[in-house]
Short mmCIF file of all heavy atoms in Angstrom, two decimals:
data_model
loop_
_atom_site.label_atom_id
_atom_site.label_comp_id
_atom_site.label_asym_id
_atom_site.label_seq_id
_atom_site.Cartn_x
_atom_site.Cartn_y
_atom_site.Cartn_z
N GLY A 321 -86.35 56.58 5.90
CA GLY A 321 -86.68 55.79 4.70
C GLY A 321 -85.61 54.67 4.52
O GLY A 321 -84.68 54.56 5.31
N PRO A 322 -85.69 53.96 3.43
CA PRO A 322 -84.70 52.87 3.23
C PRO A 322 -83.36 53.48 2.81
O PRO A 322 -83.32 54.63 2.28
CB PRO A 322 -85.41 52.10 2.02
CG PRO A 322 -86.26 53.06 1.41
CD PRO A 322 -86.75 53.98 2.44
N CYS A 323 -82.32 52.72 2.98
CA CYS A 323 -81.04 53.22 2.64
C CYS A 323 -80.24 52.04 1.93
O CYS A 323 -80.73 50.95 1.76
CB CYS A 323 -80.33 53.66 3.88
SG CYS A 323 -80.20 52.52 5.23
N LEU A 324 -79.03 52.34 1.63
CA LEU A 324 -78.19 51.37 0.88
C LEU A 324 -77.91 50.16 1.65
O LEU A 324 -77.63 49.12 1.10
CB LEU A 324 -76.87 52.01 0.37
CG LEU A 324 -77.06 53.05 -0.71
CD1 LEU A 324 -75.71 53.72 -1.11
CD2 LEU A 324 -77.63 52.34 -2.06
N SER A 325 -77.81 50.33 3.00
CA SER A 325 -77.51 49.09 3.78
C SER A 325 -78.65 48.03 3.70
O SER A 325 -78.45 46.95 4.19
CB SER A 325 -77.33 49.54 5.26
OG SER A 325 -78.49 50.20 5.74
N ASP A 326 -79.87 48.49 3.32
CA ASP A 326 -80.96 47.55 3.21
C ASP A 326 -81.00 46.85 1.87
O ASP A 326 -81.95 46.00 1.58
CB ASP A 326 -82.34 48.32 3.36
CG ASP A 326 -82.39 48.99 4.63
OD1 ASP A 326 -81.83 48.46 5.61
OD2 ASP A 326 -83.02 50.03 4.83
N VAL A 327 -80.04 47.02 0.94
CA VAL A 327 -80.11 46.38 -0.34
C VAL A 327 -79.78 44.94 -0.26
O VAL A 327 -80.38 44.13 -0.98
CB VAL A 327 -78.92 47.09 -1.27
CG1 VAL A 327 -78.81 46.28 -2.50
CG2 VAL A 327 -79.25 48.48 -1.56
N ASP A 328 -78.97 44.51 0.75
CA ASP A 328 -78.79 43.08 0.99
C ASP A 328 -80.16 42.29 1.42
O ASP A 328 -80.40 41.27 0.81
CB ASP A 328 -77.78 42.78 2.07
CG ASP A 328 -76.36 43.27 1.67
OD1 ASP A 328 -76.10 43.30 0.42
OD2 ASP A 328 -75.60 43.65 2.48
N GLU A 329 -80.95 42.97 2.16
CA GLU A 329 -82.20 42.44 2.53
C GLU A 329 -83.10 42.33 1.33
O GLU A 329 -83.87 41.40 1.07
CB GLU A 329 -82.75 43.20 3.67
CG GLU A 329 -84.15 42.65 4.12
CD GLU A 329 -84.78 43.56 5.20
OE1 GLU A 329 -84.08 44.42 5.65
OE2 GLU A 329 -85.93 43.17 5.66
N LEU A 330 -83.05 43.38 0.55
CA LEU A 330 -83.86 43.48 -0.66
C LEU A 330 -83.51 42.34 -1.60
O LEU A 330 -84.40 41.63 -2.14
CB LEU A 330 -83.62 44.88 -1.32
CG LEU A 330 -84.46 45.14 -2.55
CD1 LEU A 330 -85.99 45.19 -2.31
CD2 LEU A 330 -84.06 46.52 -3.22
N LEU A 331 -82.25 42.11 -1.84
CA LEU A 331 -81.78 41.06 -2.66
C LEU A 331 -82.16 39.60 -2.13
O LEU A 331 -82.53 38.69 -2.92
CB LEU A 331 -80.31 41.03 -2.92
CG LEU A 331 -79.73 42.33 -3.61
CD1 LEU A 331 -78.28 42.25 -3.79
CD2 LEU A 331 -80.44 42.63 -4.96
N LEU A 343 -74.80 40.43 -6.23
CA LEU A 343 -74.37 41.85 -5.90
C LEU A 343 -72.90 41.95 -5.99
O LEU A 343 -72.15 41.29 -5.34
CB LEU A 343 -74.96 42.23 -4.58
CG LEU A 343 -74.49 43.65 -4.03
CD1 LEU A 343 -75.05 44.73 -4.84
CD2 LEU A 343 -74.97 43.80 -2.54
N THR A 349 -67.30 51.54 0.62
CA THR A 349 -68.59 51.89 1.06
C THR A 349 -68.64 52.97 2.07
O THR A 349 -67.83 53.05 3.12
CB THR A 349 -69.22 50.62 1.69
OG1 THR A 349 -69.15 49.56 0.73
CG2 THR A 349 -70.71 50.81 2.07
N ARG A 350 -69.52 53.94 1.86
CA ARG A 350 -69.67 55.06 2.84
C ARG A 350 -71.14 55.59 2.81
O ARG A 350 -71.95 55.12 2.03
CB ARG A 350 -68.69 56.30 2.45
CG ARG A 350 -69.03 56.82 1.06
CD ARG A 350 -68.00 57.94 0.75
NE ARG A 350 -68.36 58.70 -0.39
CZ ARG A 350 -68.00 58.43 -1.68
NH1 ARG A 350 -67.41 57.25 -1.88
NH2 ARG A 350 -68.35 59.13 -2.72
N SER A 351 -71.39 56.42 3.84
CA SER A 351 -72.81 56.92 3.84
C SER A 351 -72.91 58.20 3.07
O SER A 351 -72.09 58.92 2.87
CB SER A 351 -73.13 57.20 5.34
OG SER A 351 -72.30 58.11 5.88
N TYR A 352 -74.21 58.36 2.64
CA TYR A 352 -74.54 59.56 1.85
C TYR A 352 -75.76 60.31 2.50
O TYR A 352 -76.27 59.82 3.43
CB TYR A 352 -74.93 59.13 0.37
CG TYR A 352 -73.83 58.41 -0.40
CD1 TYR A 352 -73.73 57.02 -0.31
CD2 TYR A 352 -72.90 59.13 -1.16
CE1 TYR A 352 -72.77 56.33 -0.95
CE2 TYR A 352 -71.93 58.42 -1.82
CZ TYR A 352 -71.83 57.10 -1.70
OH TYR A 352 -70.85 56.48 -2.40
N GLU A 357 -79.41 58.05 -0.67
CA GLU A 357 -79.41 56.76 -0.37
C GLU A 357 -80.81 56.10 -0.66
O GLU A 357 -81.00 55.04 -1.13
CB GLU A 357 -79.10 56.40 1.09
CG GLU A 357 -77.59 56.73 1.38
CD GLU A 357 -77.06 55.90 2.60
OE1 GLU A 357 -77.73 54.95 3.04
OE2 GLU A 357 -75.93 56.06 2.91
N GLN A 358 -81.88 56.95 -0.31
CA GLN A 358 -83.19 56.49 -0.56
C GLN A 358 -83.49 56.30 -2.07
O GLN A 358 -84.12 55.35 -2.43
CB GLN A 358 -84.24 57.47 0.04
CG GLN A 358 -85.68 56.99 0.00
CD GLN A 358 -86.58 57.97 0.73
OE1 GLN A 358 -86.14 58.88 1.35
NE2 GLN A 358 -87.91 57.71 0.62
N ALA A 360 -81.16 55.80 -4.45
CA ALA A 360 -80.46 54.60 -4.87
C ALA A 360 -81.18 53.41 -4.57
O ALA A 360 -81.26 52.39 -5.45
CB ALA A 360 -79.07 54.65 -4.31
N TYR A 361 -81.72 53.18 -3.35
CA TYR A 361 -82.44 52.11 -2.97
C TYR A 361 -83.69 51.82 -3.83
O TYR A 361 -83.93 50.70 -4.29
CB TYR A 361 -82.83 52.11 -1.48
CG TYR A 361 -83.63 51.02 -0.92
CD1 TYR A 361 -83.00 49.85 -0.34
CD2 TYR A 361 -84.99 50.96 -0.95
CE1 TYR A 361 -83.74 48.86 0.08
CE2 TYR A 361 -85.74 49.96 -0.48
CZ TYR A 361 -85.08 48.84 -0.01
OH TYR A 361 -85.85 47.81 0.49
N LEU A 384 -73.03 48.20 -7.58
CA LEU A 384 -72.97 49.43 -6.94
C LEU A 384 -71.61 49.90 -6.91
O LEU A 384 -70.54 49.18 -6.69
CB LEU A 384 -73.35 49.44 -5.44
CG LEU A 384 -74.94 48.99 -5.20
CD1 LEU A 384 -75.16 48.88 -3.70
CD2 LEU A 384 -75.85 50.05 -5.84
N HIS A 386 -69.06 52.98 -5.63
CA HIS A 386 -68.85 54.17 -4.80
C HIS A 386 -67.69 54.92 -5.35
O HIS A 386 -66.46 54.52 -5.22
CB HIS A 386 -68.64 53.78 -3.32
CG HIS A 386 -69.76 53.00 -2.67
ND1 HIS A 386 -70.86 53.67 -2.08
CD2 HIS A 386 -70.05 51.68 -2.68
CE1 HIS A 386 -71.70 52.79 -1.74
NE2 HIS A 386 -71.22 51.49 -1.99
N ILE A 391 -72.33 58.22 -6.83
CA ILE A 391 -72.53 56.76 -6.67
C ILE A 391 -73.31 56.33 -7.93
O ILE A 391 -74.20 57.00 -8.29
CB ILE A 391 -73.39 56.64 -5.33
CG1 ILE A 391 -73.70 55.10 -5.25
CG2 ILE A 391 -74.58 57.52 -5.41
CD1 ILE A 391 -74.46 54.67 -3.92
#
Side-chain angles (χ1 to χ4, degrees):
C323 56
L324 288 175
S325 60
D326 300 328
V327 171
D328 291 334
E329 181 182 356
L330 184 66
L331 298 183
L343 172 66
T349 303
R350 64 183 188 274
S351 60
Y352 301 90
E357 294 208 6
Q358 185 174 358
Y361 177 90
L384 295 177
H386 300 273
I391 176 174

